[in-house]
Amino acid sequence: MKIGCHISVAKGLYKASQRAHEVGAESFQVFTKNPRGLRPKKLNYADAEKGVAYCQEHGITLVAHTPYITNLSTYKEDLHEVTIRSIKEDLHIAETYGAIGAVVHCGKHTGKGEEYGTERMVETLNKILQEYEGPTKLLLENTAGQGTELGLQIEDLVKIRNATEYPEKIGFCFDTCHGFASGAWSEDSFEQLVATMKETGYLDSLVAIHFNDSKTPFNSRKDRHEKIGKGEIGEAALAKFLRSEAFQNQPVILETPVDDEGEYEEEIRYLHHLKG
């Protein structure tokens, strides 16, 4: 298990890699673009090469995250085309950064119904992945269930992956806050969550974990991250992830609210303490 956090890539991948190492991160996550936009800035390949080399030297694992505003299930043709183009760009950027995966949020059916939304999401994933042959996987992240979000349950995510033409190019990222807020797990049902992951084959394709406490209660359907041990999930429940044999091969990445990335240093130490 490699415990880490989200780091800004505004000053380039090399600086982000150094910053991750400074705060004690063994893994870290970066956005491929502005999280609220779809236009990429010019990719600095020389800087990316230095960053990749630095990560390899220090044994740091990188995960990329695509912008929040894409919708894999949009019924609007113009947004559909933009989403496909954008995530293709994201996969290229993530691969250039040496990322093991590029996290994408599941689709929203926006009133068209779950069946339509799921079918549209599968169609979009097929178009994104049909020409991609790189090593970076596209990682479907479970959602909190806000609005018309799809992908709340483990079984739903596995069905979506298996329905595509390219399941081998798709993996999963599990967010602890989203799972709690969607009603997918709590401290009492942790063992059942792990059992479901194993039985469905989800665990075999799990590539990363977003590690967050929740500001809102169980099954609230609201995505509000909190620092570890200070939210509704609590340290005892979250420690089960850190101690479970099922998750020892994954990077565990903090996305908790901070004013400065330096705050992650103390929280990373705290996670190592909880892990024991």
Side-chain angles (χ1 to χ4, degrees):
M1 180 178 286
K2 292 187 173 183
I3 296 172
C5 58
H6 190 94
I7 296 289
S8 171
V9 75
K11 295 181 181 179
L13 181 65
Y14 181 57
K15 289 287 187 183
S17 303
Q18 289 181 312
R19 184 61 170 152
H21 186 57
E22 286 172 5
V23 299
E26 299 161 320
S27 64
F28 71 106
Q29 177 179 268
V30 299
F31 281 117
T32 51
K33 306 181 178 100
N34 183 316
R36 305 294 177 186
L38 297 179
R39 182 176 296 178
K41 63 180 182 179
K42 187 175 181 181
L43 194 55
N44 187 330
Y45 288 94
D47 172 77
E49 187 175 348
K50 283 179 65 179
V52 170
Y54 187 89
C55 287
Q56 290 175 343
E57 178 186 352
H58 294 278
I60 300 172
T61 298
L62 178 69
V63 175
H65 199 304
T66 65
Y68 294 132
I69 63 173
T70 54
N71 181 5
L72 295 172
S73 298
T74 181
Y75 64 88
K76 298 179 180 179
E77 286 303 325
D78 55 341
L79 294 179
H80 188 233
E81 292 176 7
V82 168
T83 293
I84 291 167
R85 186 192 71 232
S86 178
I87 297 179
K88 282 182 176 180
E89 292 168 351
D90 295 327
L91 279 168
H92 172 67
I93 294 167
E95 181 180 345
T96 303
Y97 285 172
I100 58 173
V103 178
V104 62
H105 284 195
C106 285
K108 305 177 186 69
H109 64 74
T110 59
K112 290 287 188 176
E114 290 185 17
E115 182 178 355
Y116 172 86
T118 301
E119 290 176 356
R120 185 65 156 172
M121 187 172 167
V122 169
E123 175 192 346
T124 307
L125 288 168
N126 284 336
K127 289 183 177 180
I128 291 167
L129 295 170
Q130 61 187 352
E131 296 176 359
Y132 182 70
E133 299 297 337
T136 302
K137 289 193 173 186
L138 192 62
L139 308 183
L140 303 180
E141 181 175 0
N142 61 308
T143 61
Q146 294 188 148
T148 63
E149 287 178 338
L150 302 169
L152 282 70
Q153 303 297 324
I154 297 300
E155 296 90 340
D156 298 337
L157 292 157
V158 172
K159 286 178 182 177
I160 291 167
R161 177 181 182 269
N162 290 344
T164 70
E165 297 172 12
Y166 311 100
E168 72 283 356
K169 299 180 183 181
I170 297 172
F172 301 114
C173 173
F174 186 80
D175 188 298
T176 56
C177 171
H178 298 178
F180 181 79
S182 71
W185 84 285
S186 65
E187 183 175 5
D188 292 338
S189 63
F190 175 79
E191 286 74 17
Q192 181 57 53
L193 173 73
V194 175
T196 300
M197 287 180 171
K198 290 178 178 178
E199 291 164 6
T200 58
Y202 178 97
L203 189 61
D204 294 332
S205 298
L206 181 62
V207 176
I209 294 173
H210 285 167
F211 205 69
N212 305 296
D213 211 324
S214 173
K215 288 182 183 291
T216 61
F218 175 74
N219 206 22
S220 63
R221 301 296 180 93
K222 294 181 180 179
D223 178 10
R224 302 288 187 273
H225 296 187
E226 180 58 282
K227 287 184 176 292
I228 305 304
K230 296 185 178 180
E232 295 289 330
I233 303 176
E235 67 173 33
L238 288 166
K240 290 187 174 186
F241 277 90
L242 300 174
R243 296 169 185 169
S244 173
E245 287 298 322
F247 305 117
Q248 294 310 306
N249 294 326
Q250 278 83 36
V252 170
I253 295 170
L254 289 159
E255 294 180 317
T256 51
V258 295
D259 294 322
D260 181 86
E261 290 169 352
E263 294 176 42
Y264 280 129
E265 184 172 3
E266 181 178 350
E267 202 164 11
I268 287 170
R269 285 200 301 266
Y270 178 46
L271 263 59
H272 281 289
H273 169 72
L274 288 181
K275 186 174 184 295

